[in-house]
Amino acid sequence: MSIVFHPEAQEFHLFNDQVSCVLEVMANGHIGNLYYGKRIADVPSFAYLHEDRDRPLTAINAPWPSAFSLNYLRQDYPAFGTTDYRYPAYKIRRENGSEIMDFKYVSHSISAGKPSMAPLPATYVEHDSAADSLAIELFDAVTATRLILHYTMFADLPVLARHTEFIQEGEESLCLEQAMSLNLDLPDADYEWVHLYGAWARERHIRVSPLAEGLQSIYSMRGTSSAEHNPFIALKRPAADETSGEVIAASLVYSGNFLGQVEVSTDRETRLQLGIHPNNFRWNLAKGNSFVTPEAVLVYSDQGLGGMSHAFHDLWNNYLVRGEYKNTPRPILLNNWEATFMNFTEADILRIASKAAEAGAELFVLDDGWFGKRDDDFAGLGDWKVNLKKLPNGIKGLSEKVEAMGMKFGLWIEPEMVNEDSDLFREHPDYVLTDPERFASPSRHQYILDFSRKEVVDNIHAQVSAVIRDAKISYIKWDMNRYLSEVYSRGTDAGQQGEVLHRYILGVYDLYDRLTTEFPDILFESCSSGGARFDPGLLYYAPQAWCSDDTDAAERMRIQYGTSLVYPNSSIGAHVSAVPNDQVGRTTPLQTRANVAFFGAFGYELDLNHLPADEFAAVKEQIVFYKEWREVCQFGTFHRLINPFGGNDMAWISVAKDQKRAILGYYQILGLPNPRLLRVYPRGLCQDAVYEVRNQASGAVLRLPGSVIEHAGLPIDRDLLRELGGDFASLLLTFTEVD
Ligand code: GLA
């Protein structure tokens, strides 16, 4: 890995053995992009890739006879108002109303390692040898504003991380109206674009569309990263598939509003941008103020979408997740939500917990309903004191009883919210994020607390940390069950209202930071009405996220398949729940529910006391099985084998990093009459090693070399699937290397 500066050519080459990025200081002092893609050799100059052309209807950004125009030049952080008519990466308004800026190269520095971005979450390295970083400094002489472009190249992954910093040193008060984290200009438009699209209970479905001239975008203006779109975009060559072809992907390490867009120009160049959504964003750059954009990471793969996912999974697991649970198998939990909702007594909870302990679960999680006057969703949020009517021995007493059963104890909180019927609201109505002259729109009968204000975060921190300190708590599920609507802070000046959305997210990160620092042993799981805030920003604090409120096995296949594009199984909270399923009314086999949830941070979400004896025995077996296989399921290299979108089958495999073991899940949606023959082609095995392949449903065993398994494939036993009930039947195959 290296970052090289060629002084004569004024070019930077950032590369490792997989990817290269070449930047230049252009004649006007701006930074141009000459190349991004597969690793190429370093040469003294790539200047031939800088294409000045005199073209019709093109304004020239230099005195005649130059042909220098930003109209078509590939730039790294383009501005409005020069000669580029495409979407700019940033926008600054001056006191005189002008939006023309001219940041010119001043200097740069190259260093080993990666600087921290605190208080923003970001990827990090533990040793300087794991990454090199480049900071390019530019200056606008008229306003005396500094712009620093930051880049980090990781040594062992095809990943370039980026962010941008604005620092106002001049006297003028500037207004930063847009600041993307990433701009990437590419020389052609021969791509399809891929993103994750959804809604509540059907998050992160995969969408692949051709690129068209003009703009295509995804975004969130909901105050959180959202269930509707995920802060991720990929450009893939049309022929690229799961294993081959070029993919360029970007992900934003951020949990609030974002915009991701792809612009195809008339010259068929592509501009990819990702960053905070400019709507409702205005940051004051008065003298001494600065702004740092969230981090964006760029992944390059020449091994298709599979290669892209492997890079993301390794990046998040090795360089984003922190703490005790980094690369550590996650406890098998049982959560009481779908078993009781908010209607429970301590005796009910102990009965459910004791059955969970008998089944072999390692963690019991008490969900919503334990605090304040929380008997339904009209009351209680904001009052983080145990409801002694339901739990007379408090959380302390309950947690001790659960621990005495041999399990850890976990607790649900929703710290960013308040109900009108709560002591907190009665005491501090101004803590609600809303315009007091307007109607405050409730959602699930709750309001958003103004986390852009430190005193609000302080109040919630004091309450929540007291509960945690008092009891034996090993896990916290941090929920967030509505989007932001009337975004107005009563603790903020008129001139800073445009900062509130970002400051809100900084407040969320602040509380996460305080709690994870004070309680480093606790495993945090983020949640937002299921998976409405599943993003890398939160993975920095909470290594796993509840993937979806939809626990139906057939729906989960698609949700988890889509989620795996960017996020590793270790981060995907996945539970077996009761049937008929609460969200869709469907009944799927118990084993299939488990076979889907195994490929995630696994648990149960039902009262095991209600299961017939044979099903309870099956649950016990599932837990024994999973304890043996979870490390492979959660931390193996994950390959998507058969895509469920639009088809009747799905398959995936997770292969241990040392390739000695692997586990494959095959799932059929409906049982079909006289079904066609089907083979599944596993991937990621060691070609020469011999594996024992065990069909967990039938017990049938094969012994075959990896090359045979991968290339000749494994026939799917359709008769067995019919015996297993046909509809929603599934098979698990385990692979163990034998001598
Ligand atoms: C959200 C979560 C659920 C559950 C409920 C509790 O919907 O996604 O898992 O915690 O809130 O109110």
Side-chain angles (χ1 to χ4, degrees), residues 347-403:
D348 296 333
I349 295 299
L350 289 174
R351 214 174 320 110
I352 295 171
S354 131
K355 199 69 178 172
E358 190 189 333
E362 298 159 320
L363 168 71
F364 175 80
V365 179
L366 179 62
D367 210 279
D368 195 356
W370 58 267
F371 51 90
K373 286 200 292 173
R374 188 75 167 164
D375 294 322
D376 54 37
D377 52 21
F378 284 91
L381 290 171
D383 296 343
W384 300 103
K385 280 179 200 65
V386 66
N387 179 330
L388 289 170
K389 273 196 211 135
K390 285 185 188 171
L391 303 173
N393 298 302
I395 293 297
K396 182 174 176 0
L398 178 62
S399 63
E400 284 168 358
K401 288 181 189 171
V402 167
E403 287 225 329

Short mmCIF file of all heavy atoms in Angstrom, two decimals, residues 347-403:
data_model
loop_
_atom_site.label_atom_id
_atom_site.label_comp_id
_atom_site.label_asym_id
_atom_site.label_seq_id
_atom_site.Cartn_x
_atom_site.Cartn_y
_atom_site.Cartn_z
N ALA A 347 -44.05 -12.43 36.89
CA ALA A 347 -44.22 -13.90 36.83
C ALA A 347 -44.23 -14.37 35.37
O ALA A 347 -43.62 -15.40 35.04
CB ALA A 347 -45.50 -14.29 37.55
N ASP A 348 -44.93 -13.62 34.50
CA ASP A 348 -44.96 -14.01 33.06
C ASP A 348 -43.54 -14.03 32.51
O ASP A 348 -43.13 -14.96 31.80
CB ASP A 348 -45.75 -12.98 32.23
CG ASP A 348 -47.21 -12.91 32.62
OD1 ASP A 348 -47.73 -13.93 33.11
OD2 ASP A 348 -47.83 -11.83 32.43
N ILE A 349 -42.82 -12.96 32.82
CA ILE A 349 -41.46 -12.84 32.26
C ILE A 349 -40.58 -13.98 32.77
O ILE A 349 -39.83 -14.60 31.99
CB ILE A 349 -40.86 -11.46 32.63
CG1 ILE A 349 -41.66 -10.34 31.96
CG2 ILE A 349 -39.38 -11.37 32.26
CD1 ILE A 349 -41.67 -10.38 30.45
N LEU A 350 -40.70 -14.28 34.04
CA LEU A 350 -39.85 -15.35 34.60
C LEU A 350 -40.19 -16.70 33.99
O LEU A 350 -39.32 -17.54 33.76
CB LEU A 350 -39.96 -15.38 36.12
CG LEU A 350 -39.30 -14.17 36.81
CD1 LEU A 350 -39.58 -14.18 38.31
CD2 LEU A 350 -37.78 -14.17 36.57
N ARG A 351 -41.50 -16.89 33.72
CA ARG A 351 -41.91 -18.16 33.10
C ARG A 351 -41.28 -18.29 31.69
O ARG A 351 -40.77 -19.34 31.31
CB ARG A 351 -43.44 -18.23 33.01
CG ARG A 351 -43.97 -19.63 33.17
CD ARG A 351 -45.50 -19.71 33.23
NE ARG A 351 -46.13 -18.65 33.99
CZ ARG A 351 -46.87 -17.65 33.46
NH1 ARG A 351 -47.05 -17.59 32.15
NH2 ARG A 351 -47.42 -16.74 34.23
N ILE A 352 -41.33 -17.19 30.95
CA ILE A 352 -40.77 -17.20 29.58
C ILE A 352 -39.25 -17.38 29.65
O ILE A 352 -38.66 -18.17 28.90
CB ILE A 352 -41.14 -15.90 28.85
CG1 ILE A 352 -42.66 -15.82 28.65
CG2 ILE A 352 -40.43 -15.80 27.51
CD1 ILE A 352 -43.16 -14.49 28.14
N ALA A 353 -38.64 -16.65 30.60
CA ALA A 353 -37.18 -16.70 30.70
C ALA A 353 -36.72 -18.10 31.11
O ALA A 353 -35.74 -18.64 30.58
CB ALA A 353 -36.69 -15.66 31.70
N SER A 354 -37.47 -18.70 32.03
CA SER A 354 -37.01 -19.99 32.53
C SER A 354 -37.08 -21.06 31.43
O SER A 354 -36.20 -21.92 31.29
CB SER A 354 -37.81 -20.33 33.78
OG SER A 354 -38.33 -21.60 33.74
N LYS A 355 -38.10 -20.94 30.58
CA LYS A 355 -38.19 -21.90 29.46
C LYS A 355 -37.06 -21.64 28.46
O LYS A 355 -36.52 -22.57 27.85
CB LYS A 355 -39.57 -21.74 28.78
CG LYS A 355 -39.99 -22.91 27.93
CD LYS A 355 -40.31 -24.15 28.76
CE LYS A 355 -40.79 -25.29 27.88
NZ LYS A 355 -40.92 -26.55 28.63
N ALA A 356 -36.72 -20.35 28.29
CA ALA A 356 -35.61 -20.01 27.38
C ALA A 356 -34.31 -20.61 27.91
O ALA A 356 -33.51 -21.15 27.15
CB ALA A 356 -35.49 -18.49 27.26
N ALA A 357 -34.13 -20.51 29.24
CA ALA A 357 -32.91 -21.08 29.84
C ALA A 357 -32.89 -22.59 29.64
O ALA A 357 -31.85 -23.17 29.29
CB ALA A 357 -32.86 -20.73 31.32
N GLU A 358 -34.05 -23.21 29.83
CA GLU A 358 -34.13 -24.67 29.65
C GLU A 358 -33.77 -25.06 28.21
O GLU A 358 -33.14 -26.08 27.97
CB GLU A 358 -35.57 -25.13 29.98
CG GLU A 358 -35.73 -26.63 30.06
CD GLU A 358 -37.21 -27.04 30.16
OE1 GLU A 358 -38.04 -26.25 30.67
OE2 GLU A 358 -37.52 -28.16 29.69
N ALA A 359 -34.14 -24.18 27.27
CA ALA A 359 -33.84 -24.48 25.85
C ALA A 359 -32.36 -24.28 25.53
O ALA A 359 -31.89 -24.76 24.50
CB ALA A 359 -34.70 -23.59 24.95
N GLY A 360 -31.66 -23.53 26.39
CA GLY A 360 -30.23 -23.30 26.12
C GLY A 360 -29.89 -21.89 25.68
O GLY A 360 -28.75 -21.61 25.31
N ALA A 361 -30.88 -20.96 25.73
CA ALA A 361 -30.59 -19.57 25.35
C ALA A 361 -29.58 -18.98 26.33
O ALA A 361 -29.49 -19.40 27.48
CB ALA A 361 -31.86 -18.75 25.34
N GLU A 362 -28.84 -17.98 25.84
CA GLU A 362 -27.76 -17.40 26.66
C GLU A 362 -28.08 -16.02 27.19
O GLU A 362 -27.37 -15.50 28.04
CB GLU A 362 -26.48 -17.33 25.80
CG GLU A 362 -26.02 -18.70 25.36
CD GLU A 362 -25.12 -18.66 24.14
OE1 GLU A 362 -25.39 -17.86 23.22
OE2 GLU A 362 -24.16 -19.44 24.10
N LEU A 363 -29.13 -15.43 26.64
CA LEU A 363 -29.45 -14.04 26.99
C LEU A 363 -30.96 -13.88 26.92
O LEU A 363 -31.59 -14.30 25.94
CB LEU A 363 -28.77 -13.12 25.96
CG LEU A 363 -29.16 -11.66 25.91
CD1 LEU A 363 -28.61 -10.93 27.14
CD2 LEU A 363 -28.58 -10.99 24.66
N PHE A 364 -31.52 -13.29 27.95
CA PHE A 364 -32.95 -12.99 27.91
C PHE A 364 -33.12 -11.48 27.78
O PHE A 364 -32.50 -10.72 28.54
CB PHE A 364 -33.68 -13.48 29.16
CG PHE A 364 -35.12 -13.05 29.16
CD1 PHE A 364 -36.06 -13.75 28.42
CD2 PHE A 364 -35.51 -11.91 29.85
CE1 PHE A 364 -37.37 -13.32 28.37
CE2 PHE A 364 -36.83 -11.48 29.80
CZ PHE A 364 -37.77 -12.18 29.06
N VAL A 365 -33.95 -11.05 26.84
CA VAL A 365 -34.12 -9.61 26.62
C VAL A 365 -35.54 -9.20 26.94
O VAL A 365 -36.51 -9.72 26.38
CB VAL A 365 -33.81 -9.24 25.15
CG1 VAL A 365 -34.02 -7.74 24.93
CG2 VAL A 365 -32.38 -9.63 24.80
N LEU A 366 -35.65 -8.24 27.86
CA LEU A 366 -36.95 -7.66 28.20
C LEU A 366 -37.16 -6.46 27.29
O LEU A 366 -36.43 -5.48 27.35
CB LEU A 366 -36.97 -7.23 29.67
CG LEU A 366 -38.27 -6.58 30.14
CD1 LEU A 366 -39.45 -7.55 30.03
CD2 LEU A 366 -38.13 -6.08 31.57
N ASP A 367 -38.20 -6.54 26.48
CA ASP A 367 -38.46 -5.49 25.48
C ASP A 367 -39.33 -4.39 26.07
O ASP A 367 -39.42 -4.21 27.30
CB ASP A 367 -39.09 -6.15 24.23
CG ASP A 367 -38.76 -5.41 22.95
OD1 ASP A 367 -39.42 -4.40 22.66
OD2 ASP A 367 -37.84 -5.85 22.22
N ASP A 368 -40.00 -3.67 25.24
CA ASP A 368 -40.82 -2.51 25.58
C ASP A 368 -41.86 -2.84 26.66
O ASP A 368 -42.41 -3.94 26.68
CB ASP A 368 -41.53 -2.07 24.29
CG ASP A 368 -42.11 -0.68 24.40
OD1 ASP A 368 -42.04 -0.09 25.48
OD2 ASP A 368 -42.63 -0.21 23.36
N GLY A 369 -42.13 -1.83 27.55
CA GLY A 369 -43.25 -1.98 28.49
C GLY A 369 -42.85 -2.06 29.95
O GLY A 369 -43.71 -2.19 30.81
N TRP A 370 -41.58 -1.94 30.28
CA TRP A 370 -41.11 -2.17 31.66
C TRP A 370 -41.02 -0.89 32.50
O TRP A 370 -40.72 -0.94 33.68
CB TRP A 370 -39.73 -2.85 31.65
CG TRP A 370 -38.66 -2.06 30.93
CD1 TRP A 370 -38.30 -2.20 29.62
CD2 TRP A 370 -37.83 -1.02 31.46
NE1 TRP A 370 -37.30 -1.31 29.29
CE2 TRP A 370 -37.00 -0.57 30.40
CE3 TRP A 370 -37.70 -0.40 32.70
CZ2 TRP A 370 -36.06 0.45 30.56
CZ3 TRP A 370 -36.76 0.63 32.87
CH2 TRP A 370 -35.95 1.04 31.79
N PHE A 371 -41.28 0.28 31.89
CA PHE A 371 -40.94 1.56 32.54
C PHE A 371 -42.18 2.46 32.58
O PHE A 371 -43.15 2.26 31.83
CB PHE A 371 -39.83 2.25 31.74
CG PHE A 371 -40.18 2.33 30.28
CD1 PHE A 371 -40.88 3.42 29.78
CD2 PHE A 371 -39.89 1.28 29.43
CE1 PHE A 371 -41.25 3.47 28.45
CE2 PHE A 371 -40.26 1.32 28.09
CZ PHE A 371 -40.94 2.41 27.60
N GLY A 372 -42.10 3.50 33.42
CA GLY A 372 -43.14 4.53 33.46
C GLY A 372 -44.54 3.93 33.50
O GLY A 372 -44.76 2.87 34.09
N LYS A 373 -45.49 4.63 32.85
CA LYS A 373 -46.86 4.09 32.79
C LYS A 373 -47.07 3.42 31.44
O LYS A 373 -48.01 3.71 30.70
CB LYS A 373 -47.86 5.24 32.97
CG LYS A 373 -47.93 5.74 34.42
CD LYS A 373 -49.22 6.49 34.69
CE LYS A 373 -49.26 7.80 33.93
NZ LYS A 373 -50.50 8.55 33.97
N ARG A 374 -46.18 2.56 31.10
CA ARG A 374 -46.14 2.00 29.75
C ARG A 374 -46.99 0.74 29.65
O ARG A 374 -46.45 -0.39 29.63
CB ARG A 374 -44.68 1.70 29.39
CG ARG A 374 -44.44 1.29 27.95
CD ARG A 374 -44.52 2.45 27.01
NE ARG A 374 -44.01 2.13 25.69
CZ ARG A 374 -44.25 2.87 24.63
NH1 ARG A 374 -44.96 3.97 24.73
NH2 ARG A 374 -43.76 2.52 23.46
N ASP A 375 -48.33 0.90 29.57
CA ASP A 375 -49.18 -0.26 29.36
C ASP A 375 -49.63 -0.34 27.90
O ASP A 375 -50.14 -1.36 27.45
CB ASP A 375 -50.40 -0.20 30.28
CG ASP A 375 -49.96 -0.32 31.74
OD1 ASP A 375 -49.03 -1.10 31.99
OD2 ASP A 375 -50.51 0.40 32.60
N ASP A 376 -49.47 0.76 27.21
CA ASP A 376 -49.73 0.79 25.77
C ASP A 376 -48.82 1.88 25.20
O ASP A 376 -48.06 2.49 25.94
CB ASP A 376 -51.21 1.07 25.47
CG ASP A 376 -51.70 2.33 26.16
OD1 ASP A 376 -50.91 3.30 26.23
OD2 ASP A 376 -52.84 2.36 26.65
N ASP A 377 -48.94 2.14 23.90
CA ASP A 377 -47.96 3.08 23.35
C ASP A 377 -48.39 4.55 23.44
O ASP A 377 -47.80 5.41 22.81
CB ASP A 377 -47.50 2.66 21.94
CG ASP A 377 -48.63 2.41 21.00
OD1 ASP A 377 -49.74 2.90 21.26
OD2 ASP A 377 -48.40 1.71 19.99
N PHE A 378 -49.38 4.85 24.30
CA PHE A 378 -49.75 6.24 24.54
C PHE A 378 -48.93 6.89 25.66
O PHE A 378 -48.98 8.10 25.82
CB PHE A 378 -51.24 6.34 24.90
CG PHE A 378 -52.14 6.19 23.70
CD1 PHE A 378 -52.62 4.94 23.33
CD2 PHE A 378 -52.50 7.30 22.94
CE1 PHE A 378 -53.43 4.80 22.22
CE2 PHE A 378 -53.32 7.16 21.83
CZ PHE A 378 -53.79 5.90 21.46
N ALA A 379 -48.25 6.10 26.46
CA ALA A 379 -47.63 6.68 27.66
C ALA A 379 -46.26 6.09 27.95
O ALA A 379 -45.91 5.01 27.47
CB ALA A 379 -48.54 6.42 28.87
N GLY A 380 -45.49 6.84 28.73
CA GLY A 380 -44.31 6.28 29.38
C GLY A 380 -42.97 6.67 28.79
O GLY A 380 -41.99 6.79 29.52
N LEU A 381 -42.89 6.83 27.47
CA LEU A 381 -41.57 7.13 26.89
C LEU A 381 -41.03 8.43 27.48
O LEU A 381 -41.75 9.43 27.54
CB LEU A 381 -41.67 7.25 25.37
CG LEU A 381 -41.93 5.95 24.61
CD1 LEU A 381 -42.23 6.25 23.14
CD2 LEU A 381 -40.74 5.01 24.72
N GLY A 382 -39.81 8.41 27.88
CA GLY A 382 -39.19 9.57 28.53
C GLY A 382 -38.99 9.35 30.02
O GLY A 382 -38.17 10.02 30.64
N ASP A 383 -39.75 8.41 30.57
CA ASP A 383 -39.64 8.13 32.02
C ASP A 383 -38.93 6.79 32.22
O ASP A 383 -39.57 5.73 32.29
CB ASP A 383 -41.04 8.06 32.66
CG ASP A 383 -41.75 9.40 32.58
OD1 ASP A 383 -41.08 10.43 32.34
OD2 ASP A 383 -42.99 9.42 32.71
N TRP A 384 -37.64 6.83 32.33
CA TRP A 384 -36.86 5.59 32.38
C TRP A 384 -36.69 5.11 33.82
O TRP A 384 -35.59 5.00 34.34
CB TRP A 384 -35.54 5.77 31.63
CG TRP A 384 -35.85 6.10 30.21
CD1 TRP A 384 -35.79 7.32 29.60
CD2 TRP A 384 -36.42 5.20 29.24
NE1 TRP A 384 -36.25 7.24 28.31
CE2 TRP A 384 -36.65 5.95 28.06
CE3 TRP A 384 -36.77 3.84 29.24
CZ2 TRP A 384 -37.21 5.38 26.92
CZ3 TRP A 384 -37.31 3.29 28.10
CH2 TRP A 384 -37.53 4.05 26.96
N LYS A 385 -37.86 4.88 34.42
CA LYS A 385 -37.89 4.30 35.77
C LYS A 385 -38.79 3.10 35.71
O LYS A 385 -39.86 3.14 35.09
CB LYS A 385 -38.47 5.32 36.76
CG LYS A 385 -37.44 6.34 37.17
CD LYS A 385 -37.96 7.38 38.11
CE LYS A 385 -37.06 8.60 38.07
NZ LYS A 385 -37.06 9.31 36.75
N VAL A 386 -38.37 2.05 36.39
CA VAL A 386 -39.11 0.79 36.26
C VAL A 386 -40.54 0.95 36.77
O VAL A 386 -40.80 1.70 37.72
CB VAL A 386 -38.37 -0.35 37.01
CG1 VAL A 386 -38.36 -0.11 38.51
CG2 VAL A 386 -38.98 -1.70 36.68
N ASN A 387 -41.45 0.25 36.14
CA ASN A 387 -42.85 0.21 36.55
C ASN A 387 -42.97 -0.88 37.62
O ASN A 387 -42.97 -2.08 37.31
CB ASN A 387 -43.71 -0.10 35.32
CG ASN A 387 -45.18 -0.17 35.65
OD1 ASN A 387 -45.56 -0.54 36.77
ND2 ASN A 387 -46.00 0.17 34.67
N LEU A 388 -43.08 -0.45 38.89
CA LEU A 388 -43.05 -1.42 39.98
C LEU A 388 -44.33 -2.23 40.08
O LEU A 388 -44.35 -3.28 40.73
CB LEU A 388 -42.76 -0.71 41.31
CG LEU A 388 -41.31 -0.19 41.44
CD1 LEU A 388 -41.16 0.71 42.66
CD2 LEU A 388 -40.30 -1.34 41.50
N LYS A 389 -45.39 -1.74 39.41
CA LYS A 389 -46.62 -2.55 39.41
C LYS A 389 -46.38 -3.84 38.62
O LYS A 389 -46.83 -4.91 39.00
CB LYS A 389 -47.75 -1.76 38.75
CG LYS A 389 -48.49 -0.88 39.74
CD LYS A 389 -49.82 -0.43 39.16
CE LYS A 389 -50.15 0.94 39.73
NZ LYS A 389 -50.61 1.89 38.73
N LYS A 390 -45.67 -3.69 37.49
CA LYS A 390 -45.41 -4.88 36.68
C LYS A 390 -44.23 -5.67 37.24
O LYS A 390 -44.22 -6.90 37.22
CB LYS A 390 -45.06 -4.48 35.25
CG LYS A 390 -46.24 -4.04 34.41
CD LYS A 390 -45.75 -3.80 32.99
CE LYS A 390 -46.82 -3.18 32.14
NZ LYS A 390 -46.33 -2.74 30.85
N LEU A 391 -43.21 -4.94 37.67
CA LEU A 391 -41.97 -5.60 38.10
C LEU A 391 -41.63 -5.14 39.52
O LEU A 391 -40.80 -4.24 39.71
CB LEU A 391 -40.83 -5.24 37.13
CG LEU A 391 -41.07 -5.59 35.66
CD1 LEU A 391 -39.95 -5.04 34.78
CD2 LEU A 391 -41.19 -7.10 35.46
N PRO A 392 -42.30 -5.73 40.54
CA PRO A 392 -42.14 -5.24 41.91
C PRO A 392 -40.71 -5.33 42.42
O PRO A 392 -40.33 -4.60 43.34
CB PRO A 392 -43.07 -6.16 42.72
CG PRO A 392 -43.49 -7.26 41.82
CD PRO A 392 -43.27 -6.83 40.42
N ASN A 393 -39.88 -6.17 41.84
CA ASN A 393 -38.49 -6.27 42.31
C ASN A 393 -37.53 -5.44 41.46
O ASN A 393 -36.31 -5.60 41.55
CB ASN A 393 -38.05 -7.73 42.32
CG ASN A 393 -38.91 -8.54 43.27
OD1 ASN A 393 -38.97 -8.23 44.47
ND2 ASN A 393 -39.63 -9.52 42.76
N GLY A 394 -38.14 -4.59 40.63
CA GLY A 394 -37.32 -3.71 39.80
C GLY A 394 -36.56 -4.48 38.72
O GLY A 394 -36.66 -5.70 38.60
N ILE A 395 -35.82 -3.72 37.92
CA ILE A 395 -34.99 -4.36 36.89
C ILE A 395 -33.85 -5.11 37.58
O ILE A 395 -33.44 -6.20 37.15
CB ILE A 395 -34.42 -3.29 35.92
CG1 ILE A 395 -35.56 -2.65 35.11
CG2 ILE A 395 -33.40 -3.89 34.97
CD1 ILE A 395 -36.31 -3.61 34.21
N LYS A 396 -33.40 -4.55 38.69
CA LYS A 396 -32.32 -5.21 39.44
C LYS A 396 -32.76 -6.61 39.86
O LYS A 396 -32.08 -7.61 39.56
CB LYS A 396 -31.99 -4.36 40.67
CG LYS A 396 -30.87 -4.86 41.53
CD LYS A 396 -30.61 -3.80 42.60
CE LYS A 396 -29.60 -4.08 43.64
NZ LYS A 396 -28.86 -5.25 43.72
N GLY A 397 -33.94 -6.67 40.52
CA GLY A 397 -34.42 -7.96 41.01
C GLY A 397 -34.63 -8.94 39.86
O GLY A 397 -34.22 -10.11 39.94
N LEU A 398 -35.24 -8.45 38.80
CA LEU A 398 -35.51 -9.33 37.66
C LEU A 398 -34.21 -9.81 37.01
O LEU A 398 -34.04 -11.00 36.71
CB LEU A 398 -36.38 -8.59 36.62
CG LEU A 398 -36.70 -9.37 35.36
CD1 LEU A 398 -37.52 -10.63 35.67
CD2 LEU A 398 -37.47 -8.50 34.35
N SER A 399 -33.29 -8.87 36.84
CA SER A 399 -32.04 -9.26 36.16
C SER A 399 -31.28 -10.29 37.00
O SER A 399 -30.67 -11.21 36.46
CB SER A 399 -31.17 -8.03 35.87
OG SER A 399 -30.78 -7.39 37.06
N GLU A 400 -31.35 -10.15 38.32
CA GLU A 400 -30.65 -11.13 39.17
C GLU A 400 -31.29 -12.51 39.04
O GLU A 400 -30.59 -13.53 38.99
CB GLU A 400 -30.66 -10.66 40.63
CG GLU A 400 -29.65 -9.53 40.85
CD GLU A 400 -29.82 -8.83 42.20
OE1 GLU A 400 -30.74 -9.19 42.97
OE2 GLU A 400 -29.03 -7.89 42.46
N LYS A 401 -32.62 -12.51 38.95
CA LYS A 401 -33.30 -13.81 38.82
C LYS A 401 -32.96 -14.46 37.47
O LYS A 401 -32.78 -15.68 37.39
CB LYS A 401 -34.81 -13.63 38.95
CG LYS A 401 -35.23 -13.33 40.39
CD LYS A 401 -36.72 -13.17 40.53
CE LYS A 401 -37.03 -12.65 41.93
NZ LYS A 401 -38.39 -12.26 42.15
N VAL A 402 -32.89 -13.64 36.45
CA VAL A 402 -32.55 -14.19 35.13
C VAL A 402 -31.11 -14.72 35.15
O VAL A 402 -30.83 -15.81 34.63
CB VAL A 402 -32.77 -13.13 34.02
CG1 VAL A 402 -32.14 -13.57 32.72
CG2 VAL A 402 -34.27 -12.87 33.83
N GLU A 403 -30.23 -13.95 35.77
CA GLU A 403 -28.82 -14.42 35.83
C GLU A 403 -28.72 -15.73 36.63
O GLU A 403 -27.91 -16.59 36.30
CB GLU A 403 -27.93 -13.35 36.44
CG GLU A 403 -27.71 -12.19 35.46
CD GLU A 403 -26.26 -11.73 35.39
OE1 GLU A 403 -25.56 -11.84 36.39
OE2 GLU A 403 -25.86 -11.28 34.30
#
